[in-house]
Amino acid sequence: MRLRVRYFAWLRERVGAPQEEVETEAATVGDLVEELRAQDEAHALAFADMRAVRVAVDEELTDLAAPLAGVREVAFFPPMTGG
Amino acid sequence: MAVRVQREDFDLGAELAALRAGRSDIGALVSFSGLVRDAGGIETMELEHYPGMTEKALAAIEAEARARWPLADCLIVHRYGRLSPGEQIMMVATASAHREAAFAAAEFLMDYLKSRAPFWKKEAGAEGARWVEAQAADEAALARWRD
Protein backbone atom coordinates (compact mmCIF):
# COMPACT_ATOMS: atom_id res chain seq x y z
CA MET A 1 0.00 0.00 0.00
CA ARG A 2 1.01 3.59 -0.54
CA LEU A 3 1.25 5.90 2.48
CA ARG A 4 2.17 9.49 3.13
CA VAL A 5 4.54 9.80 6.08
CA ARG A 6 4.89 13.22 7.70
CA TYR A 7 7.46 14.52 10.17
CA PHE A 8 7.32 17.50 12.50
CA ALA A 9 9.76 19.47 14.68
CA TRP A 10 13.10 17.73 15.27
CA LEU A 11 11.94 14.55 13.56
CA ARG A 12 11.49 16.60 10.38
CA GLU A 13 14.96 18.06 10.84
CA ARG A 14 16.59 14.69 11.44
CA VAL A 15 14.88 12.98 8.51
CA GLY A 16 15.60 16.02 6.34
CA ALA A 17 12.13 16.26 4.79
CA PRO A 18 8.64 17.26 5.96
CA GLN A 19 7.01 14.28 4.25
CA GLU A 20 7.55 11.34 1.94
CA GLU A 21 5.46 8.82 0.05
CA VAL A 22 6.28 5.22 0.97
CA GLU A 23 5.29 1.89 -0.49
CA THR A 24 4.97 -0.56 2.36
CA GLU A 25 3.44 -3.85 3.46
CA ALA A 26 3.89 -2.98 7.15
CA ALA A 27 0.97 -4.20 9.26
CA THR A 28 1.39 -1.71 12.10
CA VAL A 29 2.99 1.67 12.78
CA GLY A 30 5.74 -0.17 14.67
CA ASP A 31 6.52 -2.30 11.60
CA LEU A 32 6.63 0.86 9.47
CA VAL A 33 9.13 2.43 11.90
CA GLU A 34 11.37 -0.63 11.53
CA GLU A 35 11.26 -0.30 7.73
CA LEU A 36 11.98 3.44 7.79
CA ARG A 37 14.76 3.01 10.32
CA ALA A 38 16.52 0.53 8.02
CA GLN A 39 16.34 2.99 5.10
CA ASP A 40 19.28 5.26 5.97
CA GLU A 41 21.18 6.97 8.78
CA ALA A 42 18.90 10.00 8.88
CA HIS A 43 15.83 7.85 9.56
CA ALA A 44 17.77 5.70 12.02
CA LEU A 45 18.71 8.86 13.95
CA ALA A 46 15.14 10.19 13.90
CA PHE A 47 13.80 6.94 15.34
CA ALA A 48 16.72 6.26 17.69
CA ASP A 49 14.67 6.79 20.85
CA MET A 50 11.02 5.87 20.42
CA ARG A 51 10.17 7.07 23.94
CA ALA A 52 10.54 10.60 22.52
CA VAL A 53 8.35 9.95 19.47
CA ARG A 54 4.57 10.34 19.24
CA VAL A 55 2.47 9.12 16.33
CA ALA A 56 -0.78 10.08 14.63
CA VAL A 57 -2.61 7.98 12.07
CA ASP A 58 -4.93 9.94 9.76
CA GLU A 59 -4.65 12.90 12.14
CA GLU A 60 -5.59 10.96 15.29
CA LEU A 61 -3.10 10.35 18.10
CA THR A 62 -2.36 6.67 18.53
CA ASP A 63 0.55 4.35 19.29
CA LEU A 64 2.99 1.95 17.62
CA ALA A 65 0.54 -0.96 17.79
CA ALA A 66 -1.97 0.83 15.52
CA PRO A 67 -2.81 -1.14 12.35
CA LEU A 68 -2.11 0.45 8.97
CA ALA A 69 -4.85 -1.20 6.88
CA GLY A 70 -6.82 1.52 5.07
CA VAL A 71 -4.61 4.30 6.43
CA ARG A 72 -3.56 7.21 4.19
CA GLU A 73 -1.27 9.26 6.41
CA VAL A 74 1.06 8.54 9.33
CA ALA A 75 2.78 11.37 11.21
CA PHE A 76 5.72 11.25 13.63
CA PHE A 77 6.60 14.04 16.04
CA PRO A 78 7.99 14.75 19.51
CA PRO A 79 5.76 15.29 22.57
CA MET A 80 3.66 18.39 21.94
CA THR A 81 4.46 21.77 23.47
CA GLY A 82 1.55 24.08 22.68
CA GLY A 83 -0.07 26.68 24.90
CA MET B 1 -17.97 27.84 20.09
CA ALA B 2 -14.92 28.27 17.95
CA VAL B 3 -11.37 27.17 17.34
CA ARG B 4 -8.95 29.25 15.27
CA VAL B 5 -5.38 28.54 14.23
CA GLN B 6 -3.72 31.56 12.66
CA ARG B 7 -0.43 33.27 11.93
CA GLU B 8 -1.64 36.78 12.76
CA ASP B 9 -2.01 38.30 16.21
CA PHE B 10 -5.39 38.65 17.93
CA ASP B 11 -7.05 41.31 20.05
CA LEU B 12 -7.92 39.72 23.39
CA GLY B 13 -10.35 42.49 24.33
CA ALA B 14 -12.17 42.32 21.01
CA GLU B 15 -12.43 38.52 21.22
CA LEU B 16 -13.97 38.71 24.70
CA ALA B 17 -16.37 41.47 23.64
CA ALA B 18 -17.51 39.36 20.67
CA LEU B 19 -18.03 36.35 22.92
CA ARG B 20 -20.52 38.14 25.17
CA ALA B 21 -22.08 40.46 22.59
CA GLY B 22 -25.89 40.40 22.63
CA ARG B 23 -26.12 37.89 25.47
CA SER B 24 -27.44 38.19 28.99
CA ASP B 25 -27.10 34.58 30.14
CA ILE B 26 -23.34 34.80 30.82
CA GLY B 27 -22.40 35.56 34.42
CA ALA B 28 -18.74 34.62 34.21
CA LEU B 29 -16.20 35.09 31.46
CA VAL B 30 -12.73 33.63 32.10
CA SER B 31 -9.78 34.11 29.75
CA PHE B 32 -6.18 33.00 29.66
CA SER B 33 -3.52 34.13 27.24
CA GLY B 34 -0.08 32.63 26.79
CA LEU B 35 2.83 34.94 25.89
CA VAL B 36 6.34 34.37 24.60
CA ARG B 37 8.54 34.71 27.67
CA ASP B 38 12.20 35.56 27.38
CA ALA B 39 13.68 32.90 29.66
CA GLY B 40 17.22 34.13 28.96
CA GLY B 41 18.52 35.27 25.60
CA ILE B 42 15.54 34.22 23.51
CA GLU B 43 15.15 36.31 20.38
CA THR B 44 12.48 34.38 18.49
CA MET B 45 10.09 31.50 19.03
CA GLU B 46 9.03 29.48 16.02
CA LEU B 47 5.74 27.65 16.43
CA GLU B 48 5.17 24.70 14.13
CA HIS B 49 1.90 22.78 13.91
CA TYR B 50 0.17 20.00 11.98
CA PRO B 51 -2.48 21.70 9.81
CA GLY B 52 -5.64 19.63 9.78
CA MET B 53 -4.88 17.63 12.89
CA THR B 54 -4.45 20.80 14.95
CA GLU B 55 -7.98 22.03 14.27
CA LYS B 56 -9.43 18.56 14.87
CA ALA B 57 -7.55 18.11 18.16
CA LEU B 58 -8.59 21.54 19.45
CA ALA B 59 -12.23 20.94 18.46
CA ALA B 60 -12.17 17.58 20.28
CA ILE B 61 -10.72 19.20 23.43
CA GLU B 62 -13.33 21.93 23.26
CA ALA B 63 -16.15 19.41 22.80
CA GLU B 64 -14.91 17.52 25.86
CA ALA B 65 -14.94 20.71 27.95
CA ARG B 66 -18.48 21.48 26.82
CA ALA B 67 -19.58 17.95 27.76
CA ARG B 68 -18.14 18.38 31.26
CA TRP B 69 -19.28 21.91 32.15
CA PRO B 70 -22.34 24.01 31.30
CA LEU B 71 -20.60 26.52 29.02
CA ALA B 72 -22.48 29.29 27.25
CA ASP B 73 -19.57 29.68 24.86
CA CYS B 74 -15.94 28.85 24.44
CA LEU B 75 -13.07 30.08 22.24
CA ILE B 76 -9.57 28.84 21.48
CA VAL B 77 -7.17 30.91 19.35
CA HIS B 78 -3.65 29.61 18.77
CA ARG B 79 -0.96 31.21 16.62
CA TYR B 80 1.84 29.62 14.65
CA GLY B 81 4.91 30.98 12.86
CA ARG B 82 7.68 33.22 14.16
CA LEU B 83 7.01 35.19 17.36
CA SER B 84 9.10 37.48 19.54
CA PRO B 85 9.26 37.77 23.36
CA GLY B 86 6.23 39.63 24.68
CA GLU B 87 3.97 38.54 21.83
CA GLN B 88 0.74 36.64 22.36
CA ILE B 89 0.90 32.91 21.49
CA MET B 90 -2.63 31.81 22.23
CA MET B 91 -5.79 32.39 24.25
CA VAL B 92 -8.71 30.47 25.64
CA ALA B 93 -11.95 31.99 26.87
CA THR B 94 -14.83 30.25 28.59
CA ALA B 95 -18.22 31.73 29.35
CA SER B 96 -20.75 30.31 31.77
CA ALA B 97 -23.56 31.32 34.09
CA HIS B 98 -21.25 30.94 37.10
CA ARG B 99 -17.52 31.26 37.64
CA GLU B 100 -16.78 27.71 38.87
CA ALA B 101 -17.52 26.15 35.48
CA ALA B 102 -15.75 28.93 33.57
CA PHE B 103 -12.54 28.67 35.66
CA ALA B 104 -12.47 24.86 35.62
CA ALA B 105 -13.14 24.61 31.89
CA ALA B 106 -10.40 27.16 31.10
CA GLU B 107 -7.88 25.15 33.13
CA PHE B 108 -9.01 21.92 31.49
CA LEU B 109 -8.63 23.41 28.01
CA MET B 110 -5.12 24.63 28.81
CA ASP B 111 -4.01 21.34 30.36
CA TYR B 112 -5.21 19.32 27.36
CA LEU B 113 -4.08 21.79 24.75
CA LYS B 114 -0.51 21.77 26.06
CA SER B 115 -0.03 18.03 25.63
CA ARG B 116 -2.65 16.97 23.07
CA ALA B 117 -2.71 19.65 20.37
CA PRO B 118 0.07 19.20 17.76
CA PHE B 119 2.15 22.34 18.33
CA TRP B 120 5.93 22.47 18.81
CA LYS B 121 8.03 25.42 19.93
CA LYS B 122 11.57 26.17 18.88
CA GLU B 123 13.42 28.94 20.68
CA ALA B 124 16.32 30.75 19.06
CA GLY B 125 18.81 33.19 20.54
CA ALA B 126 22.48 34.15 20.56
CA GLU B 127 23.42 30.66 21.79
CA GLY B 128 21.61 28.87 18.99
CA ALA B 129 18.22 27.22 18.60
CA ARG B 130 16.57 24.43 20.55
CA TRP B 131 13.23 22.66 20.57
CA VAL B 132 11.31 23.27 23.77
CA GLU B 133 10.90 19.95 25.59
CA ALA B 134 7.61 18.77 27.01
CA GLN B 135 7.55 18.81 30.81
CA ALA B 136 6.59 15.79 32.90
CA ALA B 137 4.37 18.20 34.86
CA ASP B 138 2.34 18.91 31.70
CA GLU B 139 1.43 15.24 31.33
CA ALA B 140 0.83 14.92 35.09
CA ALA B 141 -1.61 17.85 34.92
CA LEU B 142 -3.94 15.72 32.79
CA ALA B 143 -4.27 13.08 35.51
CA ARG B 144 -6.45 15.28 37.73
CA TRP B 145 -9.18 15.37 35.07
CA ARG B 146 -9.42 11.59 34.73
CA ASP B 147 -12.12 10.66 37.21
Side-chain angles (χ1 to χ4, degrees):
Chain A
M1 86 194 115
R2 199 162 176 78
L3 276 183
R4 170 175 295 153
V5 181
R6 302 182 67 171
Y7 304 98
F8 293 93
W10 56 256
L11 271 114
R12 170 178 51 73
E13 292 176 342
R14 289 188 187 178
V15 169
Q19 63 180 62
E20 59 188 327
E21 302 289 324
V22 301
E23 190 64 46
T24 179
E25 294 311 314
T28 66
V29 173
D31 296 341
L32 175 66
V33 169
E34 289 311 314
E35 284 184 13
L36 293 168
R37 195 184 259 154
Q39 210 168 293
D40 56 35
E41 261 182 53
H43 286 81
L45 179 65
F47 294 116
D49 180 6
M50 291 307 292
R51 287 171 307 179
V53 177
R54 301 291 177 268
V55 59
V57 161
D58 286 338
E59 302 183 346
E60 296 281 349
L61 269 183
T62 183
D63 54 42
L64 295 176
L68 290 181
V71 165
R72 286 165 303 168
E73 184 169 291
V74 178
F76 296 101
F77 42 77
M80 294 158 270
T81 54
Chain B
M1 114 174 228
V3 162
R4 293 202 325 259
V5 182
Q6 62 190 43
R7 188 178 284 278
E8 59 274 17
D9 198 8
F10 55 85
D11 181 334
L12 182 61
E15 298 293 351
L16 298 180
L19 214 58
R20 65 185 181 81
R23 303 187 65 150
S24 53
D25 58 329
I26 296 171
L29 179 55
V30 166
S31 73
F32 171 88
S33 50
L35 313 176
V36 181
R37 183 171 58 96
D38 181 357
I42 293 168
E43 288 161 15
T44 61
M45 174 182 276
E46 188 83 35
L47 262 150
E48 180 172 336
H49 79 115
Y50 183 173
M53 179 175 170
T54 310
E55 292 80 356
K56 271 195 204 171
L58 292 177
I61 294 165
E62 191 197 26
E64 179 66 27
R66 293 177 77 95
R68 287 178 179 230
W69 293 279
L71 298 179
D73 208 343
C74 181
L75 173 68
I76 303 174
V77 181
H78 206 302
R79 297 176 67 192
Y80 63 91
R82 182 164 295 184
L83 307 179
S84 302
E87 278 196 76
Q88 302 188 109
I89 303 171
M90 54 79 60
M91 65 163 286
V92 301
T94 51
S96 189
H98 303 287
R99 73 178 186 282
E100 291 82 1
F103 272 126
E107 279 209 273
F108 173 90
L109 289 175
M110 285 310 304
D111 284 349
Y112 269 82
L113 188 154
K114 273 194 103 68
S115 323
R116 292 291 182 271
F119 286 99
W120 303 275
K121 293 178 181 140
K122 190 179 197 179
E123 296 172 342
E127 290 173 12
R130 65 169 199 99
W131 289 98
V132 174
E133 280 183 43
Q135 302 294 314
D138 293 340
E139 194 61 33
L142 299 186
R144 66 174 161 149
W145 303 108
R146 289 191 195 119
D147 50 20

